[in-house]
Amino acid sequence: MKIAIASGKGGTGKTTLSTNLSSFLSETESIILVDLDVEEPNSGLFINGNLVHQEDKFKMIPEWINNQCQLCGNCQKVCNFNAVMKLGKRIMVFPELCHGCYACSELCPTNSLPMKPKRMGELKHFKLGNLDFIESKLIIGEEQAVPLIKQTLEYVDKKFPKDNIIKIYDSPPGTSCPVIEATKDADLVLLITEPTPFGLHDLKLAVDTMKELNKNFGIVINRYGIGDDKVLSYCKDNNIPIIAKIPNDRKIADLYSDGKLHNKVIPVVKKQLEKVRDYILEYQTKKMK
Amino acid sequence: MKIVLTAKGKSWDSKIDPRFGRTEYIFIYDEDSDKIETLNNAAVVSEAHGVGPKTAQKIFDANADILITGNGPGGNAKTVLESGNLDIYVGASDMTLKEAYDAYKNGKLKKF
């Protein structure tokens, strides 16, 4: 069972929910937490496990070999991302723009653009009790999150092929390609928002995205008590389930800023996480039928 | 010398387009023949990625010697332009093309 935690707006509590929910659930069962916000993963600040595995991740990009190239320009014609360019008597490749689709390489009549691996980031796998925590991080200057998210999910699927284990994906913010990649295989998406005009604005975008992807999703409201009640009425009007409401509490912020989890020490949070757990378990039971 | 300016229009009175990759027009002035050529760069609007090098490629293909623009090109575009041995001058953002050209001639623009 794959559960993606996404948001639209950044800073609404994806990592807070991902880490606290994982920690809470792992008290009774095995949980896999995956930080897919590879541009700036931060779940690791809250999970201090033992490193059990580490590996470099590579993407494939073309490299121009001069000796046989006829300068036909086919490579730049087939590239959708302006990553290959004919300049006078040479072909220039822009690795950061390349999406690794192989088109230029495969369609080159003289095989002058073989694909070569380029390091884009690293994956780390930690263990803490019942919790397996996997995070990937792009190296500085690398522009594309999608290939690393994809390879991270491949690692997780290979390592934990069983479907009955709960996997929690801490997703990137926004509604663009990285979020699509992080949520597209999820059975259930939890959208976390804050009850403010900004929160609602981006929540609507996230809801539209999840509808487009035909995802099952529900809402968790974080910092409940601030702002207004427009998120509540929006969810009611659109028949979107509100799974839990985590109250606005200075103690939570204090613990967060110290890199500490709060699910064990703040009873109201625990109660809300129980609601999330019940929703997940109920969904899982329905799915198995 | 062939001078290229990033432009919002097609005449000397048009304003400089401060953006490099997404400039609306590429204004090419050949000092030797006193001829002007303009390229409409509107097609880049639909491109999400890599407009910098794409625009740079057009300038490369025009065999220009000098580029006058506003903010200056980004890293990938700069790589392309450098391979064409072109000198880049920036800081012409609020000027008309004529003013920018005169400013370049009088050494008042900053070399990128």
Side-chain angles (χ1 to χ4, degrees):
Chain A
M1 167 104 171
K2 299 165 182 170
I3 300 156
I5 296 178
S7 71
K9 185 181 177 299
T12 55
K14 289 179 298 298
T15 298
T16 309
L17 180 62
S18 302
T19 53
N20 282 287
L21 182 65
S22 302
S23 156
F24 173 65
L25 295 175
S26 71
E27 284 173 21
T28 49
E29 61 182 308
S30 293
I31 297 293
I32 320 294
L33 169 64
V34 190
D35 195 341
L36 294 177
D37 189 4
V38 299
E39 286 170 275
E40 38 197 350
N42 62 347
S43 281
L45 297 173
F46 304 90
I47 310 285
N48 300 306
N50 296 318
L51 183 67
V52 291
H53 179 73
Q54 182 171 1
E55 64 185 53
D56 283 337
K57 287 295 184 189
F58 298 86
K59 69 173 186 178
M60 300 300 281
I61 59 156
E63 192 180 87
W64 183 54
I65 300 173
N66 187 6
N67 54 12
Q68 284 184 318
C69 178
Q70 299 162 349
L71 297 163
C72 67
N74 200 38
C75 45
Q76 71 171 9
K77 229 183 289 167
V78 298
C79 181
N80 269 337
F81 305 100
N82 298 317
V84 190
M85 214 160 256
K86 188 183 134 193
L87 288 166
K89 289 197 167 148
R90 61 192 181 124
I91 304 294
M92 208 176 249
V93 177
F94 299 99
E96 288 80 21
L97 295 173
C98 175
H99 283 54
C101 75
Y102 283 68
C104 62
S105 185
E106 293 289 321
L107 296 169
C108 173
T110 57
N111 295 320
S112 299
L113 284 163
M115 299 297 278
K116 295 269 166 71
K118 177 179 185 279
R119 185 173 168 264
M120 63 171 162
E122 62 177 10
L123 176 148
K124 285 181 178 168
H125 183 164
F126 301 87
K127 250 183 189 313
L128 180 69
N130 279 335
L131 182 66
D132 279 89
F133 169 56
I134 291 117
E135 71 161 17
S136 284
K137 195 183 211 166
L138 279 177
I139 56 174
I140 292 172
E142 213 32 68
E143 291 179 25
Q144 283 172 53
V146 173
L148 186 53
I149 294 172
K150 197 176 177 155
Q151 289 190 27
T152 306
L153 288 173
E154 280 165 6
Y155 174 86
V156 172
D157 285 344
K158 209 172 150 191
K159 230 36 207 188
F160 307 98
K162 281 191 193 141
D163 198 36
N164 57 356
I165 192 164
I166 291 180
K167 298 170 187 169
I168 293 173
Y169 300 160
D170 186 3
S171 306
T175 49
S176 62
C177 299
V179 182
I180 309 292
E181 190 64 35
T183 54
K184 73 178 185 195
D185 287 337
D187 301 291
L188 176 65
V189 179
L190 305 180
L191 295 176
I192 183 153
T193 187
E194 57 181 35
T196 62
F198 282 140
L200 177 58
H201 178 274
D202 286 8
L203 174 65
K204 286 178 184 169
L205 296 175
V207 165
D208 288 347
T209 308
M210 291 311 135
K211 281 185 177 162
E212 188 74 31
L213 292 172
N214 281 321
K215 287 289 157 196
N216 298 292
F217 62 92
I219 309 287
V220 174
I221 302 179
N222 192 20
R223 303 191 66 197
Y224 186 66
I226 62 165
D228 53 36
D229 57 6
K230 292 206 170 85
V231 168
L232 292 176
S233 48
Y234 167 77
C235 290
K236 197 171 166 224
D237 294 346
N238 292 278
N239 289 317
I240 301 168
I242 294 173
I243 303 163
K245 298 166 190 165
I246 299 166
N248 186 47
D249 186 336
R250 196 186 158 90
K251 269 184 287 176
I252 296 176
D254 280 344
L255 288 164
Y256 185 92
S257 61
D258 272 344
K260 287 179 183 144
L261 297 173
H262 52 249
N263 65 88
K264 291 184 180 76
V265 286
I266 301 181
V268 276
V269 171
K270 197 171 171 184
K271 215 169 163 187
Q272 295 302 313
L273 290 176
E274 281 166 6
K275 286 188 179 179
V276 179
R277 177 196 60 197
D278 294 347
Y279 188 88
I280 293 169
L281 294 179
E282 199 182 313
Y283 182 84
Q284 200 173 22
T285 319
K286 256 194 285 179
K287 202 189 144 207
M288 305 246 275
K289 273 181 189 167
Chain B
M1 295 277 261
K2 239 183 184 180
I3 322 275
V4 169
L5 301 101
T6 56
K8 283 179 179 280
K10 301 203 288 192
S11 78
W12 281 112
D13 296 328
S14 309
K15 286 269 187 187
I16 286 277
D17 195 327
R19 302 166 304 171
F20 177 76
R22 294 189 184 274
T23 182
E24 288 178 47
Y25 291 92
I26 297 165
F27 184 96
I28 306 163
Y29 175 54
D30 189 337
E31 288 181 315
D32 303 332
S33 63
D34 197 30
K35 275 192 180 136
I36 292 166
E37 191 194 345
T38 54
L39 304 176
N40 189 334
N41 200 39
V44 298
V45 170
S46 59
E47 306 249 0
H49 304 283
V51 291
K54 184 122 182 163
T55 301
Q57 186 186 33
K58 290 176 191 165
I59 293 166
F60 178 97
D61 288 342
N63 278 320
D65 303 294
I66 304 289
L67 166 68
I68 300 172
T69 184
N71 304 330
N76 287 333
K78 191 165 166 265
T79 310
V80 174
L81 294 169
E82 274 169 358
S83 66
N85 287 323
L86 175 115
D87 285 332
I88 306 166
Y89 291 87
V90 293
S93 288
D94 293 319
M95 303 178 189
T96 65
L97 302 190
K98 187 83 188 98
E99 287 164 356
Y101 177 68
D102 291 342
Y104 153 70
K105 278 286 173 193
N106 295 323
K108 284 185 180 149
L109 291 182
K110 204 175 131 200
K111 198 161 176 191
F112 189 64

